[in-house]
Amino acid sequence: MAKYIFVTGGVTSSLGKGIIAASLAKLLQARGLRVTIQKLDPYINVDPGTLNPYEHGECFVTEDGAETDLDLGHYERFLNIFTSQANNVTTGKIYQTVINKEREGAYLGKTVQVIPHITDEIKRRMLLLGQQNEFDIIISEIGGTVGDIESLPYIEAIRQLQWELPDEDLLVVHLTLIPYLKAARELKTKPTQHSVKMLSESGVFPDVIVCRTEEPLNQEIKRKIALFCNVKAEAVIEAPDASTIYEVPLLMMNEKLDLIVLKKLNITEFSEPDLSRWKEFLDKLKYPKARINIGLIGKYVELQDAYKSILESFVHAGAVNECKVQVIPIHSEFITPENVSDKLKNLDGLLVAPGFGYRGIEGKITAVKFARESGLPFFGICLGMQMAVIEYGRNVLGITNAQSTETDPETSEPVIDMMEEQKKITAKGGTMRLGSYPCNIKPGTVAFKIYGSPVINERHRHRYEFNNRYLQQFESGGMTASGLNPETGLVEIMEIEAHPFFVGCQFHPELKSSVENPHPLFIHFVAAAKAHNEKKQATPNPLLQSEMT
Ligand code: GLN
């Protein structure tokens, strides 16, 4: 039988529930337990696939093609496991299931209500992952903040489970904020007391309180929180700000969060935590030997969360290369042929990000041209690869009107075109080419050197593809399709061999990079950028030279 941990949040949003949940999961995993995490999101969208990145940040795609909350990315990066369709539940999905059942007549003439029908479906989803004997522990992170109207049915479902499951099979962690009032030089526990009170009024009694704080909590404060929030003092956990999210598991271990959880869940068989690879990674991350600047060209650059997995992949790949990767966001809409050199000249590498629609397209193409011509390492992901194809078509192969039909459906030179099976689809939710597909890698190519394998599997999220009508023209002109889908011949990787590093991929490698398994494409791109930087340092700047003489 699996055991269940619920993580709720209080006082304010953005406290890092996902990171705390992932850190606890990591510690339990390091002690030899089989752990997974799921996210329960109280919004009514069926999934975040149709949401603008400005709303909830990046949409994370799982192996089985679910479009999910970006917290699943944290779970995978921390735990080095794959999540699935079942790991992200939304209110939209819950209602969809209940309403479909009602239409089928499954409720036998009863009035369908939030309690018990919606809460029953929530409970079914909460317990689902624990039913196949695949996991010892299922952690469920409840999105939103306690007190939100939207999350009430989820809290109610936990309340019911508290009575339905044996005491030792369920645990509630409440994450809260202890604000520090500078003027009074005091940490304040009142918001936490209120938030726990609100939770208790709904019949849910937290076993552990994790306190986000900018200042250390002393014993007295811990005792006070314990007293007012009805938990043992040892179950009041301090979660200070960390220099990197990857340090949080160790901070939680210092606070004995894992041991407190194991005790309450009455788990007696566990090992000493093995975090050797994790610590090795952290060491490299904290003490880099070099620094490089990578430009990230996108149109959602104001919002870091929009490119979460890419940023984290750079953290992993930077550690492997023992260098700090400074990612510099550059808005594609503001790049022009006149300013491109100024904007990009100090970079060591350029990444053109995934995206949709036509806004900022020309800026991306201009940036690719600069990277290709100046020998700046280039990495294009999904839309980024498509832009590289258009740029090469226009400026090297002389296909002046090269374009994507996403930007101009009537273009005379559709080097990027909508995939055939997409042409009949009109609905937007979950209808792209999603999830993991195999890809054959051509021997002798850069991609082959990077992957060291003739077949790979990567995750996708797109509607458009390289138009194979142009394949021969591109290949004879110096841009090679080094990765192809074995069944359809869909181009998955495009590269220019005669360049220090120029690779574009139709898939999303950033979705598969984890701390313990950094992605090879990111590792090699960072290595190329590092080499570019070293070369720059070794070559005296002619401008400086002339000034000196
Ligand atoms: N908009 C492009 C497509 O649908 C690229 C998608 C992406 O970058 N994820 O093919």
Side-chain angles (χ1 to χ4, degrees):
M1 270 295 283
K3 295 181 186 264
Y4 297 89
I5 299 175
F6 294 94
V7 180
T8 59
V11 181
T12 169
S13 58
S14 305
L15 288 182
K17 246 183 301 161
I19 302 299
I20 294 293
S23 299
L24 172 58
K26 185 75 216 167
L27 293 179
L28 297 171
Q29 185 193 54
R31 287 189 178 275
L33 294 154
R34 299 168 306 160
V35 190
T36 192
I37 320 184
Q38 60 181 338
K39 176 88 189 270
L40 309 182
D41 273 314
Y43 52 69
I44 296 172
N45 303 66
V46 171
D47 62 42
T50 53
L51 287 173
N52 185 316
Y54 288 126
E55 295 279 316
H56 283 273
E58 160 193 281
C59 171
F60 188 81
V61 180
T62 56
E63 283 290 288
D64 62 352
E67 296 181 292
T68 70
D69 185 79
L70 56 74
D71 271 326
L72 271 78
H74 287 309
Y75 308 160
E76 292 203 357
R77 289 187 282 271
F78 273 60
L79 295 180
N80 201 28
I81 59 165
F82 290 158
T83 55
S84 73
Q85 197 88 38
N87 293 66
N88 195 188
V89 178
T90 64
T91 295
K93 272 192 192 143
I94 299 285
Y95 271 82
Q96 200 176 42
T97 310
V98 170
I99 291 171
N100 286 344
K101 272 174 78 178
E102 186 271 340
R103 292 289 82 184
E104 285 161 15
Y107 296 110
L108 302 172
K110 286 257 180 262
T111 307
V112 181
Q113 294 177 299
V114 173
I115 303 172
H117 303 101
I118 294 295
T119 47
D120 276 355
E121 178 57 19
I122 293 178
K123 283 190 291 179
R124 190 184 71 79
R125 299 297 297 245
M126 282 172 163
L127 302 181
L128 195 63
L129 284 166
Q131 262 142 29
Q132 262 107 54
N133 190 25
E134 230 180 293
F135 301 106
D136 304 310
I137 295 179
I138 318 293
I139 301 184
S140 298
E141 178 193 343
I142 314 291
T145 309
V146 166
D148 296 349
I149 291 178
E150 296 186 321
S151 51
L152 279 176
Y154 293 89
I155 303 294
E156 167 61 15
I158 301 175
R159 184 194 71 79
Q160 294 176 20
L161 285 178
Q162 276 183 334
W163 299 107
E164 289 166 23
L165 295 179
D167 252 7
E168 58 184 41
D169 284 357
L170 184 145
L171 174 133
V172 177
V173 176
H174 187 59
L175 177 65
T176 172
L177 174 73
I178 309 289
Y180 179 72
L181 290 193
K182 255 202 203 116
R185 296 218 197 113
E186 254 184 88
L187 285 161
K188 290 294 181 192
T189 64
K190 194 70 84 186
T192 296
Q193 294 179 35
H194 279 299
S195 136
V196 172
K197 195 171 158 207
M198 199 159 3
L199 200 53
S200 314
E201 278 167 2
S202 305
V204 171
F205 304 96
D207 302 284
V208 179
I209 312 268
V210 177
C211 304
R212 292 283 289 107
T213 172
E214 286 174 4
E215 293 293 321
L217 303 182
N218 57 34
Q219 279 313 316
E220 196 193 328
I221 293 257
K222 282 192 170 185
R223 267 199 299 273
K224 191 169 167 191
I225 297 169
L227 177 67
F228 283 102
C229 300
N230 226 0
V231 297
K232 297 207 169 75
E234 70 199 34
V236 178
I237 304 288
E238 172 183 323
D241 288 346
S243 58
T244 150
I245 53 169
Y246 298 110
E247 204 165 351
V248 179
L250 300 183
L251 294 173
M252 291 301 98
M253 190 163 75
N254 286 346
E255 288 284 292
K256 303 196 170 55
L257 175 61
D258 50 338
L259 292 175
I260 291 159
V261 165
L262 289 166
K263 190 170 153 197
K264 157 77 189 7
L265 294 177
N266 198 18
I267 296 173
T268 47
E269 269 177 51
F270 54 84
S271 54
E272 277 305 301
D274 176 9
L275 287 165
S276 48
R277 283 172 71 196
W278 192 272
K279 286 183 182 159
E280 218 174 276
F281 156 79
L282 258 186
D283 259 3
K284 287 190 180 164
L285 184 65
K286 282 173 116 182
Y287 307 107
K289 298 193 176 127
R291 260 165 212 279
I292 56 166
N293 293 328
I294 303 256
L296 189 156
I297 316 272
K299 64 173 178 177
Y300 308 109
V301 287
E302 311 87 316
L303 186 79
Q304 293 283 299
D305 273 1
Y307 303 108
K308 195 83 205 161
S309 294
I310 292 179
L311 298 179
E312 297 306 325
S313 300
F314 276 127
V315 174
H316 310 152
V320 175
N321 283 287
E322 297 187 67
C323 86
K324 160 109 185 114
V325 181
Q326 190 72 43
V327 178
I328 301 175
I330 302 170
H331 210 299
S332 50
E333 268 187 298
F334 307 130
I335 300 176
T336 63
E338 292 71 42
N339 68 18
V340 65
S341 157
D342 249 11
K343 280 192 186 279
L344 310 187
K345 66 172 187 272
N346 290 328
L347 299 177
D348 304 306
L350 182 81
L351 183 136
V352 178
F356 295 85
Y358 54 82
R359 186 163 68 92
I361 290 292
E362 288 302 323
K364 288 186 176 173
I365 296 172
T366 305
V368 179
K369 179 169 187 276
F370 177 85
R372 182 181 53 76
E373 291 179 342
S374 64
L376 180 67
F378 166 82
F379 188 16
I381 299 182
C382 206
L383 185 70
M385 180 205 92
Q386 298 175 354
M387 295 304 105
V389 166
I390 294 174
E391 192 281 319
Y392 205 76
R394 286 186 194 173
N395 301 321
V396 180
L397 305 178
I399 315 172
T400 335
N401 294 326
Q403 188 54 285
S404 162
T405 52
E406 183 174 14
T407 308
D408 176 10
E410 306 302 328
T411 176
S412 57
E413 302 284 6
V415 291
I416 302 294
D417 197 8
M418 188 180 265
M419 285 178 276
E420 206 43 49
E421 66 271 23
Q422 287 287 326
K423 291 185 181 158
K424 15 184 203 308
I425 298 172
T426 50
K428 288 281 177 272
T431 56
M432 281 188 249
R433 180 173 180 246
L434 291 167
S436 181
Y437 286 90
C439 165
N440 286 351
I441 309 274
K442 270 191 206 149
T445 59
V446 175
F448 195 91
K449 260 179 245 138
I450 291 175
Y451 278 101
S453 158
V455 189
I456 57 159
N457 286 283
E458 293 283 3
R459 295 185 200 169
H460 301 73
R461 183 170 189 248
H462 64 123
R463 289 201 164 86
Y464 296 81
E465 63 175 333
F466 177 82
N467 184 344
N468 273 330
R469 263 206 292 140
Y470 292 88
L471 186 57
Q472 226 231 313
Q473 195 177 352
F474 272 78
E475 293 213 309
S476 52
M479 189 180 246
T480 309
S482 48
L484 294 176
N485 179 281
E487 271 171 37
T488 60
L490 182 143
V491 171
E492 295 281 19
I493 310 176
M494 274 298 214
E495 60 177 60
I496 302 174
E497 216 197 325
H499 190 280
F501 189 99
F502 195 103
V503 178
C505 51
Q506 186 56 74
F507 49 76
H508 292 263
E510 74 275 21
L511 302 176
K512 278 178 82 170
S513 186
S514 70
V515 166
E516 281 150 295
N517 206 2
H519 198 286
L521 277 171
F522 277 90
I523 296 175
H524 282 79
F525 175 53
V526 169
K530 199 172 153 198
H532 183 88
N533 179 279
E534 281 160 10
K535 214 166 116 193
K536 246 180 16 193
Q537 315 265 358
T539 326
N541 183 331
L543 280 178
L544 289 179
Q545 283 279 308
S546 60
E547 272 165 26
M548 278 156 67
T549 48

